[in-house]
Amino acid sequence: MYYDFETLINRSELGSSKWLGMIQKKPNVSKEIVPFSVADMEFKNAPEIIEGLKEYLDETILGYTSPTENYLDSVVNFMNRHHNWEIDKSWIVTAPGVVPALAHAIRGFTNPGDGVIITTPVYYPFFACVTMNNRVIVENPLVDNEGHYEINFEDLELKASNAKNKILLFCSPHNPIGRVWTKDELEKVAAICLKYDVLIISDEIHFDLIMPGYEHTVMATLSDEVADKCIVCTAPSKTFNLAGMQTSNLVIKNKNLRERMKSAMLEVAFLSCGTLGYKACELAYIRCDLWLEELIMKINENKNIVEEFCKEHIPEIKVYPLEGTYLQWLDLRAIGLNNEELEKAMIEDCELFFDEGYIFGEAGAGFERINIACPTDVLLEGLRRLAKWAETKRKE
């Protein structure tokens, strides 16, 4: 590979939320331990972004900043180039991250007491975005069909037909299960939402990270009718490891929806993203196609290692197919521990810091989400600790 995906940067003293969270859980954690939890990567940023930011800092003033024409062009061209998605610059609404945007949208398009449909198990901030705004979580549980999650369309239609349920908060690709929904599945989802006038908020933050053999379809590309009834949330944060830059791009074709979204953001005095966030996104979208190509190769390599390692050394752990994202979903239910016991064992016995499955909803109990966007030797060392622990459990 041309780029370096093997050098580990110790972030324990750099303010990393992931690393500090690990230390908080176990203050005496061994110094060589790397967490596999929060969804940012243990890879160095693309050098094109770092060098571009250095050049920018030499010539700019860090005052209030709005999206430039070059910035908007970079977003438009990236979407066209990578997703065959033709958008207009006027459709772009920038926000300080996808999660804040989800909260703004829920507040802006529903009233207290209204229902928001989510497909569980699902990215845990979805729950908070709903409940913290005094809305009601309406679960549409996914169906685990022998290791392949599927949408329960009959249940989704039942939930959508209730006039109190105003929004489908949809995760595509799905976090934590790693599904890349097929075009046929998306068309069925969209048809139900159109039938019952349910707004689709499609969180597609991982949509650049698709494994070989799979294809992502942007919800808004299904038809003009669907595009007029959805908000697509995108960001460079997962793709290029820029979460700390707090910059995302919402694509909203429908002008009325777009203006309502802007109003919801203004209600909490949101005016713009950070100066360096805009520039980092622009640099990533213009200069980093090759870096992204190699990143996907590395994630796919690590994904295969997890599958093969567990099959050979920890067969009681079921590895779900990773179609998209860099978040592997592991089923440890066969080991027979409850949530508290499993979490304690991972931290105390293995020094493994995953995202516990139960935080993604009741359907995640007994699972672990492992972030595999890390150097391969780091991943293998973690898997060896997991295998050693599993061996002791077999002997008990």
Side-chain angles (χ1 to χ4, degrees):
M1 285 189 176
Y2 179 79
Y3 293 100
D4 178 9
F5 293 103
E6 301 302 338
T7 298
L8 178 69
I9 304 297
N10 187 304
R11 296 196 283 160
S12 59
E13 297 183 2
L14 298 177
S16 165
S17 298
K18 182 198 297 187
W19 287 65
L20 292 178
M22 172 181 71
I23 294 168
Q24 184 177 24
K25 288 182 178 179
K26 189 175 185 182
N28 64 340
V29 64
S30 304
K31 291 185 177 180
E32 69 274 11
I33 297 298
V34 179
F36 296 96
S37 52
V38 178
D40 62 16
M41 296 187 267
E42 299 301 331
F43 296 136
K44 297 167 65 176
N45 289 106
E48 292 86 351
I49 297 174
I50 302 304
E51 292 304 316
L53 287 175
K54 290 177 181 177
E55 294 169 6
Y56 181 63
L57 283 168
D58 284 338
E59 63 186 29
T60 194
I61 292 175
L62 300 175
Y64 295 118
T65 305
S66 298
T68 65
E69 288 300 305
N70 286 340
Y71 174 87
L72 296 172
D73 285 338
S74 75
V75 177
V76 168
N77 292 334
F78 185 87
M79 299 306 167
N80 193 353
R81 195 165 67 248
H82 287 268
H83 297 284
N84 195 29
W85 184 22
E86 295 185 7
I87 65 174
D88 189 271
K89 287 187 244 185
S90 65
W91 302 354
I92 300 170
V93 178
T94 60
V98 166
V99 172
L102 300 180
H104 295 322
I106 288 169
R107 192 178 59 257
F109 293 98
T110 61
N111 295 312
D114 285 344
V116 177
I117 303 169
I118 58 175
T119 51
T120 53
V122 73
Y123 180 49
Y124 55 90
F126 278 21
F127 295 91
C129 286
V130 177
T131 58
M132 294 297 286
N133 281 299
N134 298 313
R135 274 61 172 178
V136 178
I137 293 171
V138 179
E139 294 195 36
N140 168 227
L142 297 171
V143 178
D144 187 350
N145 186 5
E146 298 183 354
H148 181 79
Y149 281 96
E150 298 173 352
I151 298 168
N152 185 334
F153 294 105
E154 182 177 350
D155 180 74
L156 177 60
E157 180 155 14
L158 177 65
K159 304 294 173 54
S161 67
N162 185 333
K164 287 290 290 181
N165 299 333
K166 306 293 188 182
I167 286 175
L168 170 65
L169 189 52
F170 193 66
C171 198
S172 179
H174 195 92
N175 172 10
I177 66 170
R179 272 299 316 275
V180 174
W181 306 116
T182 66
K183 185 176 182 180
D184 179 63
E185 287 172 312
L186 294 174
E187 287 175 337
K188 290 178 180 178
V189 169
I192 290 170
C193 291
L194 290 176
K195 180 178 179 181
Y196 297 103
D197 195 28
V198 173
L199 175 66
I200 304 170
I201 302 176
S202 188
D203 175 2
E204 305 195 22
I205 195 170
H206 289 277
F207 73 159
D208 301 316
L209 302 170
I210 308 300
M211 296 302 101
Y214 298 94
E215 182 177 355
H216 176 82
T217 300
V218 176
M219 180 69 77
T221 65
L222 294 176
S223 70
D224 289 339
E225 189 179 14
V226 175
D228 269 333
K229 195 62 179 177
C230 75
I231 295 172
V232 179
C233 302
T234 78
S237 53
K238 304 304 179 187
T239 310
F240 297 101
N241 212 20
L242 297 173
M245 287 297 184
Q246 300 292 313
T247 302
S248 64
N249 298 290
L250 317 179
V251 182
I252 312 173
K253 180 182 179 183
N254 184 300
K255 184 177 180 181
N256 289 333
L257 294 182
R258 195 162 62 245
E259 294 306 315
R260 285 181 65 181
M261 184 68 197
K262 291 179 181 178
S263 295
M265 294 163 71
L266 284 172
E267 286 178 6
V268 291
F270 170 72
L271 299 175
S272 66
C273 298
T275 304
L276 295 184
Y278 285 130
K279 180 52 67 171
C281 177
E282 181 183 327
L283 290 164
Y285 282 176
I286 293 174
R287 301 185 185 180
C288 296
D289 280 9
L290 178 58
W291 188 90
L292 174 55
E293 181 181 329
E294 292 194 356
L295 169 69
I296 292 171
M297 292 170 58
K298 170 53 66 174
I299 294 170
N300 190 59
E301 175 189 341
N302 282 354
K303 178 261 293 185
N304 291 335
I305 286 171
V306 173
E307 291 176 352
E308 293 165 8
F309 187 97
C310 289
K311 183 178 180 180
E312 181 176 354
H313 301 286
I314 330 173
E316 58 266 58
I317 294 179
K318 183 177 183 180
V319 181
Y320 279 63
L322 182 64
E323 301 175 0
T325 82
Y326 49 74
L327 304 166
Q328 190 84 62
W329 193 232
L330 305 179
D331 182 356
L332 283 73
R333 289 176 295 180
I335 295 175
L337 301 182
N338 62 33
N339 290 334
E340 184 178 349
E341 292 168 337
L342 183 59
E343 184 172 13
K344 182 178 179 181
M346 291 299 103
I347 295 172
E348 298 298 331
D349 300 338
C350 307
E351 288 198 308
L352 287 170
F353 297 84
F354 299 149
D355 277 320
E356 301 301 317
Y358 68 82
I359 70 174
F360 302 96
E362 292 183 9
F367 289 80
E368 300 282 359
R369 191 191 76 172
I370 173 173
N371 182 339
I372 64 169
C374 61
T376 298
D377 61 347
V378 171
L379 177 63
L380 281 168
E381 179 56 33
L383 290 172
R384 292 187 190 106
R385 296 200 303 278
L386 185 60
K388 183 178 180 180
W389 170 77
E391 178 65 24
T392 64
K393 296 301 292 181
R394 294 187 202 110
K395 295 177 180 177
E396 291 181 356

